[in-house]
Amino acid sequence: MRRIGKALLALLLVVALAAGGALLFVRRSLPALSGEVAVIGASQPIEIFRDRHAIPHIYARSREDAYFGLGYVHAQDRLWQMEVNRRLGSGTLSEVFGEDALPQDRLFRTVGLRRVAEENVNHLSPETRAVLEAYVRGVNAFLSEDPPLPPEFLLFGVEPRPWTPVDSLVWLKVMAWNLSGNWERELFRVRLRDRLSPQQAAEFLAPYPGDEPLVAPAPPEQHGALEAPAKALRAAVPAPIDRAIGSNNWAVDGTRTESGKPLLANDPHLELFAPSLWYFAHLSAPGLDVIGATLPSLPAVLLGRNGRVAWAFTNTRSDTQDIFIEQLVPSDPSRYLAPSGPLPFTTVRETIKVKGRSDEVLEVRISRHGPVISDVSDVAKRSMPGGQVLSLAWTSLRADDRTLEFPVRAAEARTADDLLSATRDFHSPQQNIVYADASGAIGFIAAGRVPMRRPENDVRGLVPVPGWVEKYDWLGFVPWEELPQSRAPASGRIVTANQRITPPEYPHWISADWDHPSRAERIEALLDGSPAHSVRRFAEIQMDVRSGAAALLLPGLLRAATASDEERRVVERLRAWDLEMRADAAEPLIFATWVRELSRQIYEDELGELFREGFSERIAFLRGVLSDTGGEGRWCDDTRTPDSESCDAVSGLALRRALAYLKAEYGDDPSRWSWGEAHPAISQHAVLGGIPVLSRWFDVTVRSPGDNHTVNLGGYWINQEDDPFVSRDGPGFRAIYDLGDPERSVFVLSTGQSGHPLSPHYRDQSELWAAGGYAPMTTQRSAVERDAIGKLVLIPR
């Protein structure tokens, strides 16, 4: 026994020494912030100062060298993130992660994100191509140093290959894909239509407030059931249908500010990751002085400002994808029917390398509409009826997509007109771009390619349509001049928060998937509540946590039939609640849990096996049910029981179940419950996040307020059985731009600049972000040099 003890002690000592050596090696992989480095690919010396948040300020003598510097610092700080980015878009994750990644790889190989990115490179202007190539040289200059790699490379045994221009553009395609979910909603509507009556489906997918319910027709030419393949496709690519993916931006002109010049605010709402999707940087060169949010992998300040102009995005939620049912020619399945007669598929062979097993070969078929996505899943392929397949048309699959032109031109815009002109090349995904300039102009355009559908196309992209019928074919795209846009509004303000941005008389079909307007209306009310705004006032608005969902639903909930003194005390407590989703309060947790249980009671019986997919906070639908709009109170009756339940009775039952859940999770004493405990914002590592042993190092967690319908959004997915209130979507960064004095502009990230978990800058902004703090958006060189924590000089070799 003594010998075993000594051997075990020796083993532990060896392990400890090895761990210490590994830790030392990993620490060596932190980037150098100071010194001189000889690099290949730069034309003249490039100076890179880092401020106290490790934001790089890149000073170069040419535009190309500035973007070279951006590529270099992206690789220094976010190399693993960039590796995952390009593998995700290129469909090569399985090469590293094995069979678990195959569904994602099959999807993106079939859709062809990398194939179209290869074509897009050839359509860029010489100026933008030069910027892209300079960025690529910067990334490869860092890789050529053979640096110690971030820990993820060691854990997965990955050796990074040289970067290419296509690697950059493929990430732009992934971002467009993530913001374009129409095809998933089409499949959901198909399945919903097979479970509900058209009227029920129209009520459940509630119309935009003030609109009539939108019934998705079944095209009379369509034949064959699509429920089975739709189910198989959704299973192959699981993702929540209704997530809090959106954003806020707003601007006011000088008549409504203390400075007499415009202010502009932006906070994009996407899934929270560690490190953040966003990376702040400042680029300075002759004719160029731009600062803002970049996306590692791309040579662009996508959202930001220069000394004269600022710009901000929110997602339009436009319908830019249609699924077409293609009918194969019975005697020749290599061809399909078109209005002009049979046509051959274009075919592409894709080989997916899979770690731990043999390669997988895909034969991708492409119709005149787009790739055949029903081939993504063997189950979907087998269940397609009558020799049919499903193809995907999407605006982002065009060879001439020139979206990268926009941020390159915007960085050097001198006026609002310059910025607006640059939006002509912004093709995908459609975004609500709000902008302002130092002369006092503010404006808005929903820039991007939107399909023009024929007047006789009554389906309007809501469900799959026959590909052999001409009336469903696109007529091109809405002309740039006819996109939704405005300039110098009489109100002196512009607000977009994913609400409908088209007036009733607008002639083109844009979307049926606008977000509920409660967030936009709250921002407008807060803007109208002050005669003159400042950066500080805009910051207060960005942190506002009054819930639009609570304002809509609480009056109906408070009519619940209570059965105990405890329930009555809870109802009275919520009656006195100020509707603010504060982290330190219990009321938000009680309300959110009640709504979750009520949703389950109201429509689980009608949706059956589709319930989990459709389980989300449907506030417009719930309000219609609780107020019995158009007789919608009938949804409260549980079809699984012989009795007829009223909404007040079902609300009472939901309250009882909510309280039982809360006691089981958080104890019997409601005074100890808090929203912040149930609703932390978790920025999860894209690969290692959620693994108990590793999450402490790789995930970033902070207490957070807000909900899916607050200005300070804290998006959670109630269809999750475990941790349904954890904030998984939110503002990965916030920014406020002051056009009166751009140096007063501020920003904050949800994590930190670094992608290295041992870096002090991996999570150093998270508490600041959670508390509503900001960092200065400084570009003046004297101030940058004075406060720098390091100066790195890249010397041409």
Side-chain angles (χ1 to χ4, degrees):
M1 291 292 291
R2 185 175 295 178
R3 287 182 180 178
I4 294 175
K6 287 183 177 179
L8 182 59
L9 184 62
L11 178 61
L12 289 174
L13 182 60
V14 170
V15 170
L17 289 172
L23 185 62
L24 180 63
F25 178 79
V26 168
R27 284 191 179 278
R28 286 185 57 239
S29 65
L30 292 171
L33 304 186
S34 299
E36 292 187 356
V37 179
V39 296
I40 298 173
S43 63
Q44 297 186 71
I46 302 167
E47 298 173 297
I48 303 172
F49 295 90
R50 308 271 186 151
D51 65 23
R52 63 189 177 91
H53 293 293
I55 309 302
H57 298 260
I58 303 167
Y59 294 94
R61 299 176 194 176
S62 70
R63 175 175 62 180
E64 287 73 20
D65 276 353
Y67 285 101
F68 178 102
L70 182 63
Y72 190 91
V73 297
H74 275 174
Q76 275 191 307
D77 288 332
R78 300 287 188 89
L79 188 60
W80 175 251
Q81 185 181 38
M82 295 171 69
E83 182 69 22
V84 173
N85 287 354
R86 67 169 162 182
R87 286 186 176 277
L88 175 62
S90 301
T92 59
L93 290 172
S94 301
E95 189 175 335
V96 175
F97 305 116
E99 288 187 83
D100 288 346
L102 261 176
Q104 186 70 68
D105 282 353
R106 289 189 191 112
L107 176 65
F108 281 172
R109 289 291 188 97
T110 299
V111 174
L113 298 190
R114 190 169 186 92
R115 293 193 302 271
V116 75
E118 289 168 349
E119 296 180 294
N120 293 163
V121 170
N122 300 319
H123 288 269
L124 296 175
S125 67
E127 295 78 11
T128 298
R129 182 72 180 262
V131 162
L132 177 57
E133 291 172 348
Y135 175 87
V136 168
R137 290 196 302 273
V139 175
N140 289 330
F142 177 75
L143 292 176
S144 70
E145 298 168 9
D146 194 23
L149 297 171
E152 296 95 334
F153 285 93
L154 306 179
L155 286 170
F156 292 102
V158 178
E159 191 69 31
R161 303 185 184 102
W163 198 259
T164 71
V166 176
D167 291 331
S168 290
L169 292 188
V170 81
W171 183 240
L172 199 56
K173 293 298 172 193
V174 173
M175 291 299 296
W177 178 265
N178 289 339
L179 293 168
S180 307
N182 310 112
W183 76 280
E184 296 170 320
R185 286 188 282 274
E186 287 187 40
L187 295 178
F188 182 68
R189 288 190 185 99
V190 164
R191 299 182 64 199
L192 198 65
R193 192 175 61 196
D194 284 355
R195 291 203 61 89
L196 304 178
S197 70
Q199 182 64 30
Q200 283 179 307
E203 291 169 352
F204 184 71
L205 301 174
Y208 195 77
D211 290 355
E212 292 297 316
L214 189 61
V215 177
E221 307 89 349
Q222 179 180 321
H223 57 86
L226 294 180
E227 199 277 340
K231 178 181 178 181
L233 272 175
R234 287 293 300 141
V237 193
I241 288 290
D242 292 294
R243 288 174 49 191
I245 298 295
S247 301
N248 301 319
N249 64 15
W250 66 86
V252 296
D253 65 20
T255 66
R256 307 190 62 164
T257 67
E258 293 178 359
S259 69
K261 294 289 186 179
L263 287 168
L264 171 64
N266 194 194
D267 51 293
H269 306 156
L270 297 167
E271 190 167 352
L272 296 173
F273 287 109
S276 169
L277 285 170
W278 304 100
Y279 178 98
F280 244 71
H282 168 216
L283 284 67
S284 181
L288 174 71
D289 194 30
V290 62
I291 186 170
T294 71
L295 288 170
S297 301
L298 285 171
V301 173
L302 201 60
L303 305 168
R305 71 160 181 89
N306 56 37
R308 298 283 305 170
V309 181
W311 59 98
F313 287 6
T314 68
N315 196 22
T316 310
R317 299 183 69 118
S318 51
D319 190 342
T320 59
Q321 296 173 330
D322 278 353
I323 296 179
F324 286 88
I325 307 162
E326 310 289 9
Q327 180 66 56
L328 306 184
V329 176
S331 60
D332 183 2
S334 69
R335 295 190 298 163
Y336 62 98
L337 297 182
S340 59
L343 294 174
F345 287 105
T346 300
T347 59
V348 177
R349 172 168 287 195
E350 294 277 357
T351 301
I352 304 175
K353 294 186 179 299
V354 185
K355 185 177 182 179
R357 52 157 278 190
S358 58
D359 296 351
E360 179 166 311
V361 178
L362 295 180
E363 295 290 343
V364 178
R365 295 181 284 181
I366 304 171
S367 77
R368 67 194 182 97
H369 297 116
V372 174
I373 59 169
S374 52
D375 287 350
V376 165
S377 160
D378 288 338
V379 177
K381 189 188 305 186
R382 289 194 303 269
S383 60
M384 283 300 301
Q388 295 177 349
V389 296
L390 300 178
S391 65
L392 175 69
W394 179 30
T395 56
S396 196
L397 295 181
R398 296 275 303 209
D400 61 346
D401 189 326
R402 288 161 50 91
T403 299
L404 187 60
E405 299 282 343
F406 169 78
V408 172
R409 290 180 57 192
E412 300 180 35
R414 305 302 297 161
T415 66
D417 287 336
D418 293 341
L419 192 287
L420 182 61
S421 176
T423 67
R424 289 179 177 272
D425 286 323
F426 193 97
H427 291 155
S428 179
Q430 188 180 32
Q431 296 287 284
N432 300 323
I433 302 178
V434 174
Y435 55 91
D437 73 10
S439 72
I442 64 171
F444 148 77
I445 182 170
R449 283 175 168 165
V450 183
M452 283 193 63
R453 297 177 174 89
R454 300 168 189 265
E456 62 269 29
N457 179 358
D458 59 343
V459 177
R460 290 172 291 183
L462 296 177
V463 293
V465 291
W468 60 91
V469 180
E470 187 175 22
K471 72 176 182 178
Y472 299 120
D473 285 344
W474 295 353
L475 291 172
F477 304 113
V478 175
W480 180 86
E481 292 78 9
E482 297 176 27
L483 292 170
Q485 52 190 296
S486 64
R487 188 74 170 266
S491 65
R493 59 164 164 78
I494 298 171
V495 175
T496 82
N498 317 114
Q499 83 279 25
R500 184 167 63 189
I501 41 83
T502 56
E505 67 276 7
Y506 186 73
H508 303 295
W509 175 259
I510 300 292
S511 181
D513 295 315
W514 311 111
D515 205 357
H516 193 277
S518 59
R519 197 161 24 97
E521 291 168 353
R522 177 62 175 167
I523 295 169
E524 290 171 347
L526 291 170
L527 290 175
D528 292 344
S530 296
H533 290 278
S534 63
V535 169
R536 176 178 293 182
R537 177 59 182 151
F538 266 33
E540 292 172 353
I541 296 175
Q542 283 190 328
M543 295 303 296
D544 183 77
V545 291
R546 186 179 189 275
S547 172
L552 286 169
L553 299 181
L554 200 57
L557 292 175
L558 295 177
R559 295 194 300 267
T562 53
S564 69
D565 289 343
E566 179 187 44
E567 292 169 23
R568 283 186 279 276
R569 285 194 298 270
V570 167
V571 167
E572 290 309 308
R573 183 171 185 171
L574 289 180
R575 196 184 305 278
W577 178 38
D578 61 7
L579 310 184
E580 293 201 351
M581 303 294 287
R582 297 188 308 276
D584 61 354
E587 289 86 351
L589 180 56
I590 297 169
F591 168 75
T593 309
W594 193 356
V595 169
R596 182 172 187 258
E597 292 304 320
L598 179 65
S599 299
R600 192 192 308 273
Q601 295 301 313
I602 287 177
Y603 57 85
E604 184 178 26
D605 54 327
E606 284 86 359
L607 265 61
E609 68 171 16
L610 196 54
F611 171 70
R612 178 71 184 276
E613 191 172 333
F615 188 20
S616 66
E617 275 199 335
R618 301 179 176 277
I619 63 172
F621 165 68
L622 290 180
R623 187 189 191 196
V625 171
L626 292 175
S627 61
D628 196 24
T629 303
E632 290 181 38
R634 63 183 177 276
W635 281 82
C636 290
D637 181 30
D638 190 337
T639 59
R640 297 166 297 192
T641 69
D643 300 325
S644 179
E645 292 86 3
S646 70
C647 286
D648 290 351
V650 169
S651 293
L653 175 61
L655 176 58
R656 283 189 288 282
R657 294 189 173 180
L659 292 176
Y661 171 87
L662 291 170
K663 289 176 182 178
E665 291 290 322
Y666 306 106
D668 291 337
D669 184 359
S671 68
R672 300 177 68 89
W673 299 346
S674 73
W675 182 229
E677 182 179 356
H679 184 253
I682 300 181
S683 298
Q684 195 168 82
H685 190 277
V687 178
L688 300 171
I691 300 174
V693 176
L694 297 174
S695 60
R696 175 185 173 189
W697 299 99
F698 289 94
D699 290 352
V700 177
T701 302
V702 291
R703 286 170 62 90
S704 69
D707 70 5
N708 291 316
H709 304 281
T710 51
V711 178
N712 180 17
L713 186 137
Y716 53 91
W717 310 344
I718 64 170
N719 69 344
Q720 302 296 298
E721 289 304 318
D722 296 325
D723 300 321
F725 303 119
V726 164
S727 178
R728 306 172 193 275
D729 302 324
F733 87 91
R734 302 185 187 99
I736 302 170
Y737 308 99
D738 187 338
L739 278 302
D741 180 0
E743 291 298 295
R744 289 198 298 257
S745 302
V746 295
F747 80 98
V748 67
L749 293 175
S750 56
T751 59
Q753 278 286 97
S754 177
H756 198 306
L758 294 181
S759 167
H761 303 292
Y762 184 72
R763 63 185 80 229
D764 62 327
Q765 295 183 53
S766 60
E767 293 292 346
L768 185 69
W769 173 84
Y774 295 81
M777 203 182 297
T778 303
T779 61
Q780 288 181 351
R781 179 156 182 163
S782 59
V784 168
E785 290 192 23
R786 182 178 63 247
D787 298 329
I789 61 173
K791 176 185 177 182
L792 183 69
V793 183
L794 307 182
I795 306 293
R797 185 167 66 186

